[in-house]
Amino acid sequence: MHPAPSVAALRFAELEARLGSRARALTARKWLFGRGALGGRITGLSAKPGAALLAEAPLPSFERVARQVAPDGTTKLALGFPGATVEAVMIPGRGRSTVCLSSQAGCTRACTFCATARLGFTRNLSAAEIVLQYALAAREAPADAPARNVVFMGMGEPLDNLDAVLGAEAVLMEPPYPRLSPAHVTVSTSGVVPGMKRYLREGRGRLALSLNATTDALRRELMPHTRTWPIAALLGAIREAQAEDPAKSVFVEYVLWDGVNDSDAEAAALVALLDGIAAHVNLIPHNPVAGLPFAPSPVARVRAFQKRLADSGRRTIVRWPKGAGIAAACGQLANQVPAASVS
Ligand code: SAH
């Protein structure tokens, strides 16, 4: 199915063609990715070309269902699109903030530790809906820390909706504006080999593989829907791409669960698995999800695990939880909004 054109997903050349000049196309992009209201007219454009563009290629219809702000400034938006509610998160950083985007409403992957999995699957989002999430969440970033970093780590499996994800990242990276750096766009996957191969070929951002276990037996227990592709096949796809283009570095994500996958032996096994692969490791202490029998590894265990990796020469970062109190962290997006927090 070919999605209807939307101003949010049109490439710059198409905007230019429809509006008749580069300056107008830039004005339309600045309206979309600026700070002003995304109302019924394109601010800064004379009425006629702007109205014609919005008539032919409207913004996706959306509603801001909720907005929650955590004490650390992390802001979660619940956005209602036709037949689908999704969440996008703005995480303030020093000099640069991060926006975490959803690629699907719900998810088909039934990861046992993730709150989104329990929603089931509603539908794929369009490229325009993904770009619009960015545009709205980026408006929440502090003025001195614009949202120049994007991670597809919200709801959904991006590689199950890869056409839309590639379309959205192309718009977000496109010059002259907003021109995000490919180094600052990350697409995170539960591990879908055909999609990984395609993203490694066609995608311009960085792939992040949610490995989460060092044996197929444990990985199948935690992420049952990924049983089609054993760890060797997942890492094989990365090795293959890096053999062709050694500059294609990736991230490997590894959620740490107390007593499940956080032993020194598992750290050593992870080091061995990644041998010869150019990858930075992101360790994510489990973010609690009510009703799920998982606990985050204790801080000292996280540090010990990280040290093992670092001692082997592996660049390893711990993603300590952000957005406490508003369920905005990895794996916690489940469209649950306390009524009192809507603003
Ligand atoms: N489906 C994609 C992107 C969404 S999940 C994927 O699986 O990568 C984004 C990251 O959050 C993944 O690395 C996933 O392993 C992690 N995650 C999921 N649930 C989590 C939880 N409860 N605590 C911490 N990380 C979690």
Side-chain angles (χ1 to χ4, degrees), residues 107 113-114 152-154 156-158 188-190 208 210 212 223 253 255 284-287 289 330-331:
C107 191
F113 44 83
C114 177
F152 285 85
M153 294 187 189
E157 168 48 55
S188 178
T189 179
S190 62
S210 302
N212 294 343
M223 308 172 77
E253 292 159 292
V255 180
I284 315 175
H286 173 69
N287 297 304
V289 177
C330 281

Side-chain angles (χ1 to χ4, degrees), residues 220-300:
R220 268 197 304 271
E221 242 178 75
L222 295 166
M223 308 172 77
H225 276 220
T226 71
R227 63 184 169 268
T228 328
W229 296 290
I231 291 171
L234 302 173
L235 297 180
I238 295 172
R239 281 183 208 280
E240 225 171 76
Q242 292 186 341
E244 267 172 43
D245 179 1
K248 271 255 171 241
S249 130
V250 300
F251 290 112
V252 167
E253 292 159 292
Y254 193 93
V255 180
L256 285 167
W257 292 284
D258 188 20
V260 173
N261 66 346
D262 61 352
S263 67
D264 283 342
E266 278 153 318
L270 184 55
V271 167
L273 276 177
L274 299 183
D275 190 38
I277 292 180
H280 293 177
V281 173
N282 288 337
L283 298 175
I284 315 175
H286 173 69
N287 297 304
V289 177
L292 294 187
F294 291 95
S297 305
V299 171

Side-chain angles (χ1 to χ4, degrees), residues 11-26 176:
R11 300 299 297 269
F12 196 76
E14 286 176 79
L15 278 178
E16 224 177 312
R18 284 168 187 263
L19 290 171
S21 86
R22 183 181 167 80
R24 285 180 188 161
L26 185 56

Side-chain angles (χ1 to χ4, degrees), residues 84 103-105 108 121-126 129-130 157-158 160-162 164:
S103 54
Q104 300 180 310
T108 62
F121 176 69
T122 307
R123 69 166 172 87
N124 279 330
L125 298 180
S126 67
E129 288 168 336
I130 295 172
E157 168 48 55
D160 288 346
N161 186 20
L162 191 45

Side-chain angles (χ1 to χ4, degrees), residues 5-326:
S6 165
V7 61
L10 288 182
R11 300 299 297 269
F12 196 76
E14 286 176 79
L15 278 178
E16 224 177 312
R18 284 168 187 263
L19 290 171
S21 86
R22 183 181 167 80
R24 285 180 188 161
L26 185 56
T27 301
R29 278 278 168 91
K30 296 230 155 150
W31 160 77
L32 181 58
F33 297 113
R35 297 249 164 196
L38 281 176
R41 62 177 296 266
I42 299 180
T43 319
L45 272 192
S46 53
K48 222 172 156 195
L53 177 65
L54 285 185
E56 289 163 15
L59 282 176
S61 72
F62 73 97
E63 183 193 347
R64 203 173 72 170
V65 176
R67 174 177 179 272
Q68 292 169 269
V69 184
D72 67 8
T74 298
T75 302
K76 180 167 85 168
L77 300 179
L79 300 172
F81 294 121
T85 301
V86 301
E87 292 174 333
V89 183
M90 189 286 299
I91 305 135
R94 224 174 274 145
R96 179 189 312 134
S97 298
T98 296
V99 166
C100 176
L101 298 175
S102 294
S103 54
Q104 300 180 310
C107 191
T108 62
R109 310 280 152 183
C111 300
T112 52
F113 44 83
C114 177
T116 305
R118 299 200 295 179
L119 296 178
F121 176 69
T122 307
R123 69 166 172 87
N124 279 330
L125 298 180
S126 67
E129 288 168 336
I130 295 172
V131 171
L132 187 58
Q133 279 177 69
Y134 169 79
L136 295 169
R139 282 167 163 74
E140 303 288 341
D144 61 353
R148 304 293 297 169
N149 200 36
V150 164
V151 295
F152 285 85
M153 294 187 189
M155 294 177 167
E157 168 48 55
L159 300 190
D160 288 346
N161 186 20
L162 191 45
D163 286 339
V165 167
L166 288 171
E169 75 162 31
V171 168
L172 296 178
M173 291 177 189
E174 196 170 36
Y177 196 75
R179 202 178 197 163
L180 295 187
S181 159
H184 294 145
V185 172
T186 301
V187 172
S188 178
T189 179
S190 62
V192 181
V193 167
M196 287 173 67
K197 289 188 172 174
R198 184 170 167 215
Y199 189 79
L200 286 164
R201 251 192 342 262
E202 296 175 32
R204 294 187 53 218
R206 278 230 230 176
L207 187 71
L209 170 64
S210 302
L211 190 61
N212 294 343
T214 59
T215 64
D216 286 317
L218 178 60
R219 198 163 189 280
R220 268 197 304 271
E221 242 178 75
L222 295 166
M223 308 172 77
H225 276 220
T226 71
R227 63 184 169 268
T228 328
W229 296 290
I231 291 171
L234 302 173
L235 297 180
I238 295 172
R239 281 183 208 280
E240 225 171 76
Q242 292 186 341
E244 267 172 43
D245 179 1
K248 271 255 171 241
S249 130
V250 300
F251 290 112
V252 167
E253 292 159 292
Y254 193 93
V255 180
L256 285 167
W257 292 284
D258 188 20
V260 173
N261 66 346
D262 61 352
S263 67
D264 283 342
E266 278 153 318
L270 184 55
V271 167
L273 276 177
L274 299 183
D275 190 38
I277 292 180
H280 293 177
V281 173
N282 288 337
L283 298 175
I284 315 175
H286 173 69
N287 297 304
V289 177
L292 294 187
F294 291 95
S297 305
V299 171
R301 184 89 297 270
V302 174
R303 291 278 184 227
F305 198 98
Q306 179 186 26
K307 186 167 184 313
R308 278 269 173 155
L309 292 171
D311 287 349
S312 79
R314 183 63 59 185
R315 278 230 0 225
T316 309
I317 291 172
V318 179
R319 301 286 174 198
W320 297 106
K322 297 258 175 72
I326 63 166

